[in-house]
Amino acid sequence: MLAAAQRLRRSTDFAAAVRGGRRAGRGALVVHLSLPVAPTAAISPEPARTGAEEIPAPARAGFVVSKAVGNAVVRNRVRRRLRHLVRERLAELPAGSTLVVRATPAAADVSYQRLGADLDAAIAAARAPRGRRSR
């Protein structure tokens, strides 16, 4: 189970990650990854310091498993598998990241190992820097 601080719950959080994040599809799932924005340089050479240190927001994850995947039993099994796989990989993402994992209908029939391999490949593709395509 993911900790409460690591779960996406509001539809606005899901929408922000899907619209503003990088998308990568691999096998039985599609990943939307929104990385935190790097802080801009301050105008003054000495940054203003406050008494309290900022605690970085943890990386968060949410899951989308539609009725196209299967009935309720199948959808919940896919969601449980994805939740367990993401929990292991969430610490590798930068603090403040938002990850939305969307299962395709093929996710109902693939093995746990294949789902893990697809998740790893999709996250790696979403984290990779975008290059310019040559024409």
Side-chain angles (χ1 to χ4, degrees):
M1 193 73 162
L2 291 174
Q6 295 176 325
R7 283 183 259 161
L8 289 180
R9 294 186 181 174
R10 291 182 285 166
S11 63
T12 54
D13 294 338
F14 278 90
V18 170
R19 286 190 193 123
R22 293 182 178 178
R23 179 175 56 95
R26 296 291 185 270
L29 47 89
V30 178
V31 165
H32 299 271
L33 179 63
S34 178
L35 297 172
V37 205
T40 58
I43 297 174
S44 66
E46 287 288 325
R49 296 189 186 255
T50 60
E53 291 291 324
E54 285 188 31
I55 299 172
R60 301 183 310 156
F63 306 94
V64 178
V65 184
S66 73
K67 287 185 179 181
V69 174
N71 63 20
V73 173
V74 173
R75 290 194 311 268
N76 285 327
R77 182 177 62 229
V78 169
R79 191 177 300 113
R80 281 193 311 268
R81 287 178 169 184
L82 289 173
R83 196 180 314 131
H84 183 74
L85 289 165
V86 167
R87 183 182 63 201
E88 297 170 351
R89 291 155 176 84
L90 207 55
E92 299 169 6
L93 295 176
S97 300
T98 304
L99 177 71
V100 174
V101 181
R102 183 169 49 91
T104 64
D109 300 323
V110 298
S111 68
Y112 181 80
Q113 290 78 20
R114 177 61 191 246
L115 212 54
D118 288 347
L119 181 63
D120 288 335
I123 290 175
R127 288 186 76 173
R130 293 181 186 169
R132 295 196 62 125
R133 295 183 183 172
S134 60
R135 292 185 185 212

